[in-house]
Amino acid sequence: MSTVKLMPPFGVDIDLAEGVMADPDRHLVRKASAMLGHYQDADALARLIAAGDPLHYEVFEKNVPEERGQVMFCISKLEPGDVGGECFMTKGHYHTVRETAEVYLCLRGRGFMALKTADGQCLLEPMERNRLVYVPPLWAHRSINTGSEPLISFCAYPGDAGHNYGDIESEGFPKRVFTRNGKIAVV
Amino acid sequence: MSTVKLMPPFGVDIDLAEGVMADPDRHLVRKASAMLGHYQDADALARLIAAGDPLHYEVFEKNVPEERGQVMFCISKLEPGDVGGECFMTKGHYHTVRETAEVYLCLRGRGFMALKTADGQCLLEPMERNRLVYVPPLWAHRSINTGSEPLISFCAYPGDAGHNYGDIESEGFPKRVFTRNGKIAVV
């Protein structure tokens, strides 16, 4: 019945407080310069890049077969900060197989998960330690850090989901989150 | 292309330190009396049941469509204790769709994940806070608490995986974990 090859179990060490996976197979590092076009204030982003191009976020992953039945997982660590008042965020993505979900278990920090559908529905789910956000199939999603410490999540999604960043690069998200005088504003 | 219905995102509050999900749709509670046949020392289990039938473990779940592409998740909380020296454990299960994996992110406590295949391979993966165990497709799995506090894990697996407890009830696991004079013994 099964065509799946037997593979050995494995363990992965993850510092849950710091949001760091030991010995990841992939370590994605996105600095400000990787975020061109994503923030409203392009000049503020250019200044930030010129001033040292700080880290925005990291994603730590282990190799898992990209197949149905497997469960991909990662640690997402989004730094605090803003670009002209707009809170640091991830690029966001659809899954290549759009009919696949993802769970985000927030381990530290505070912010939002912005979610949108291809037909323009958009909403923000609060994220904070002790909260899980369920991203159903068909929803693009991006994390936004509104706090003063890293926003750290453990994420799990189907092995055959894949990532599609391109559609969000062109579509964008209709909602943006700013921090102004210590208050959060969604526009 | 898609036959998946659009469903709304949702959030779930989870006390990560206590291993308690707020407002679960299912709350599985297994006491000693639910564990008949699982421990080596049946008399010790009978005495434990007679002495108050203490809690062994809890599983907290939310409703997610049991479909391919969805991601089921739960909190597993296994109490510390022993039955005639054999460390408290969960029943263990295969997935109904055996070609499906599961991730266990350990949030608190210490123990093992016992894993076995239908053809008799068996091994123990250490579990402790800051460690994830990847249960690949085809492996039955059970948690074992060797510590003095609850063993708490966040688990995620494919929506169409299902649970098969029956085969493990009849097969058992070839390895057992005991605590003797403060030391852990695997037999």
Side-chain angles (χ1 to χ4, degrees), chain B residues 28-183:
Chain B
L28 185 70
V29 178
R30 300 258 199 239
K31 297 184 176 185
S33 53
M35 299 298 291
L36 294 173
H38 286 285
Y39 293 100
Q40 193 173 64
D41 187 339
D43 292 342
L45 182 62
R47 287 193 298 274
L48 197 61
I49 294 168
D53 197 13
L55 180 64
H56 272 221
Y57 63 98
E58 296 170 272
V59 181
F60 300 86
E61 297 177 306
K62 292 297 281 187
N63 281 339
V64 170
E66 295 183 14
E67 297 167 357
R68 177 178 180 186
Q70 304 282 357
V71 179
M72 304 287 282
F73 59 91
C74 67
I75 291 286
S76 168
K77 181 177 187 179
L78 173 59
E79 297 298 320
D82 72 275
V83 177
E86 189 172 1
C87 296
F88 273 14
M89 58 192 182
T90 63
K91 289 188 173 199
H93 62 272
Y94 289 100
H95 291 159
T96 308
V97 179
R98 292 215 181 184
E99 301 82 357
T100 51
E102 184 160 354
V103 292
Y104 279 73
L105 178 65
C106 187
L107 302 167
R108 181 175 167 194
R110 177 177 295 274
F112 292 104
M113 180 73 75
L115 301 112
K116 73 163 295 230
T117 59
D119 65 0
Q121 292 182 62
C122 183
L123 51 82
L124 298 176
E125 276 286 338
M127 292 185 82
E128 59 185 317
R129 176 172 167 80
N130 288 327
R131 189 169 171 86
L132 174 146
V133 173
Y134 193 83
V135 179
L138 308 176
W139 290 83
H141 43 288
R142 110 177 331 161
S143 305
I144 300 169
N145 188 345
T146 61
S148 56
E149 52 179 359
L151 179 64
I152 298 171
S153 299
F154 172 76
C155 319
Y157 53 98
D160 60 350
H163 289 85
N164 168 354
Y165 294 101
D167 286 349
I168 281 299
E169 298 257 3
S170 55
E171 291 175 13
F173 279 78
K175 292 187 183 178
R176 295 180 177 275
V177 178
F178 292 81
T179 175
R180 286 171 176 155
N181 305 319
K183 298 207 168 158

Side-chain angles (χ1 to χ4, degrees), chain A residues 7 29 33 43 58 90 92-93 98 101 103 110 120 139 142-144:
Chain A
M7 57 180 270
V29 178
S33 53
D43 291 342
E58 296 169 272
T90 63
H93 61 272
R98 290 212 183 186
V103 292
R110 176 177 296 273
W139 291 84
R142 109 179 330 162
S143 305
I144 301 169

Side-chain angles (χ1 to χ4, degrees), chain A residues 29-168:
Chain A
V29 178
R30 301 258 199 237
K31 297 184 176 184
S33 53
M35 298 299 292
L36 294 173
H38 286 282
Y39 293 100
Q40 191 172 64
D41 187 340
D43 291 342
L45 183 62
R47 288 193 298 274
L48 197 63
I49 295 169
D53 196 13
L55 179 64
H56 272 223
Y57 63 98
E58 296 169 272
V59 181
F60 300 85
E61 297 177 307
K62 292 297 283 188
N63 282 338
V64 171
E66 295 182 13
E67 298 166 356
R68 176 180 180 186
Q70 304 282 356
V71 179
M72 304 287 283
F73 59 91
C74 68
I75 290 286
S76 168
K77 181 178 186 178
L78 172 59
E79 296 298 320
D82 71 275
V83 177
E86 190 172 0
C87 297
F88 274 15
M89 57 193 182
T90 63
K91 291 188 172 198
H93 61 272
Y94 289 101
H95 291 160
T96 308
V97 178
R98 290 212 183 186
E99 301 82 357
T100 51
E102 184 161 354
V103 292
Y104 280 72
L105 179 65
C106 187
L107 301 167
R108 181 176 167 193
R110 176 177 296 273
F112 293 104
M113 179 72 74
L115 301 114
K116 73 164 293 228
T117 59
D119 64 1
Q121 292 183 61
C122 182
L123 51 83
L124 299 176
E125 275 287 339
M127 291 184 80
E128 59 185 317
R129 174 171 169 80
N130 287 331
R131 191 170 169 85
L132 174 146
V133 174
Y134 193 83
V135 179
L138 308 176
W139 291 84
H141 43 286
R142 109 179 330 162
S143 305
I144 301 169
N145 187 345
T146 62
S148 56
E149 52 179 359
L151 179 64
I152 298 172
S153 300
F154 172 77
C155 319
Y157 54 97
D160 59 349
H163 289 85
N164 168 354
Y165 294 102
D167 287 348
I168 281 299

